Amino acid sequence: MATHSDDTQAAGSYGEGSYGEDGRAEGASGKDGRAEGSDGPGAGRSTVLVLDRSPSLLPRLALGALRSPFKRPSAAADVPRTRLVLPGLRIDLARLAAYERVCGFPTGEDALPVTYPHVLGFPLAMRLMSGRDFPLPLLGLVHTSIEITRYRELTASGEYELTVYVDGLAPHRRGTEVAVGTELRVGADVVWESVSTYLARHRTKDTGTGGEREREAHGPLPAVAEWRLAGDVGRRYAAASGDRNPIHLYPLTARLFGFPRAIAHGMWTAARCLAAHGTPQAVLVRAEFRAPVLLPGTVTYAADGERFELCGGERVHVSGGVYPLTGPGAVS
């Protein structure tokens, strides 16, 4: 995702992701899908649409941008009930290695970083969010949070089935928020899942302060490391993930969308923190994106037990936690 949440200018924010070839089915009518049913997210019936390849990201970004001026966000709007499914997914090991290097994860292991399935799923999410029936404008959509549940270690050499769906809308003090779910399966078992929230800003009557109260409750975390971020971090992450949103690439292209310099991808900041923190095989991860990281720049990684933060001075860019899973379904 390009930008973060409340302290961010929202201009031109699309999201993070990978890219591939277009899927065979263009509509949400279900005639190219596998089945229709009532087991989808939220109320109402859902259509399961099976793709034969990952959608191309850049055309979807462009389509979503063109449709944005004609959309009027509202928490009462309907959302698409299509579940996009991509079976037989194999990992591009060269791209995975590039992702691991730029994010600070170990390379050469037969394991997927905890954040990598988000990259795999984002082209499908973009297909849904760029659609005519998606009620929020893609331009200005801000990635506000992600919650990831990994039930067991995932191998880089494995074969997976990927599912992405829109889970519904909710009012936010600064607009309307949409939840997008992603699931990774091996056979019938869900081995990884996430819910990302994205905010479309518009006027509301709520003026609350929201998430800042949480930090006030526990105070700042102790500093662990200072990271000096080069100006090409956005370009390197874009090459590995496929997200070539211009606000991440160069100062000139970022200025076109209201930013003084290029900014780091939100999911890069989360992945970099998690690479430093470490995660058990069965884990719940939460991250909230609070403010953009300008490139080049210097940030402080702070952590205490389960919690972590990425800060620039007194400003918190990312906050989150890492919580080991126990009980049914968790494999440690």
Side-chain angles (χ1 to χ4, degrees):
M1 191 64 204
T3 62
H4 316 279
S5 81
D6 299 335
D7 298 320
T8 300
Q9 294 186 47
S13 173
Y14 299 117
E16 247 129 311
S18 175
Y19 59 89
E21 302 287 325
D22 277 331
R24 66 169 178 252
E26 282 302 310
S29 64
K31 61 183 178 181
D32 292 310
R34 180 168 59 196
E36 263 192 44
S38 57
D39 58 347
R45 298 177 64 83
S46 66
T47 300
V48 176
L49 194 61
V50 180
L51 307 179
D52 58 8
R53 61 189 71 185
S54 186
S56 295
L57 179 58
L58 291 179
R60 290 292 166 180
L61 291 172
L63 181 61
L66 289 173
R67 287 175 170 165
S68 291
F70 304 100
K71 298 192 176 185
R72 298 294 179 264
S74 167
D78 292 329
V79 296
R81 298 297 174 188
T82 303
R83 295 174 69 95
L84 297 181
V85 177
L86 180 62
L89 176 65
R90 304 302 295 259
I91 307 302
D92 183 328
L93 297 181
R95 178 162 291 178
L96 172 62
Y99 178 89
E100 291 169 334
R101 286 191 295 269
V102 71
C103 295
F105 291 106
T107 59
E109 300 179 359
D110 187 22
L112 295 183
V114 67
T115 49
Y116 196 68
H118 172 86
V119 172
L120 301 173
F122 192 76
L124 281 69
M126 282 302 307
R127 174 164 173 162
L128 292 174
M129 292 192 288
S130 64
R132 192 183 305 274
D133 57 348
F134 185 72
L136 305 183
L138 193 61
L139 276 177
L141 207 60
V142 180
H143 197 177
T144 52
S145 72
I146 188 168
E147 180 174 293
I148 295 170
T149 307
R150 182 174 65 187
Y151 297 99
R152 70 188 201 198
E153 188 174 43
L154 308 178
T155 64
S157 57
E159 181 174 308
Y160 302 97
E161 180 178 277
L162 186 66
T163 301
V164 177
Y165 58 90
V166 178
D167 202 25
L169 302 177
H172 185 279
R173 70 184 187 281
R174 296 199 176 186
T176 298
E177 205 166 51
V178 62
V180 178
T182 303
E183 298 173 349
L184 203 64
R185 282 183 169 83
V186 173
D189 297 330
V190 176
V191 294
W192 184 101
E193 59 185 339
S194 73
V195 176
S196 279
T197 58
Y198 300 90
L199 173 65
R201 294 186 178 210
H202 56 88
R203 290 191 178 188
T204 70
K205 296 180 180 179
D206 189 347
T207 59
T209 57
E212 287 304 313
R213 289 193 293 267
E214 180 184 349
R215 188 166 195 258
E216 292 170 3
H218 65 68
L221 302 180
V224 175
E226 184 178 86
W227 298 335
R228 295 182 179 180
L229 309 181
D232 68 346
V233 166
R235 296 191 292 276
R236 291 170 55 211
Y237 185 86
S241 70
D243 180 4
R244 291 179 170 82
N245 187 330
I247 64 176
H248 302 304
L249 304 180
Y250 301 98
L252 179 59
T253 55
R255 288 190 203 107
L256 296 176
F257 295 93
F259 297 95
R261 305 198 300 274
I263 66 171
H265 297 71
M267 280 302 294
W268 177 84
T269 63
R272 184 68 186 89
C273 289
L274 291 168
H277 189 285
T279 56
Q281 292 182 16
V283 65
L284 170 67
V285 171
R286 294 190 178 103
E288 294 185 6
F289 306 113
R290 299 181 180 274
V293 175
L294 296 175
L295 301 172
T298 300
V299 293
T300 299
Y301 168 68
D304 183 19
E306 298 167 330
R307 299 195 307 270
F308 65 84
E309 289 179 343
L310 192 66
C311 307
E314 294 298 315
R315 192 179 213 191
V316 178
H317 299 290
V318 183
S319 65
V322 175
Y323 309 98
L325 289 184
T326 58
V331 179
S332 58

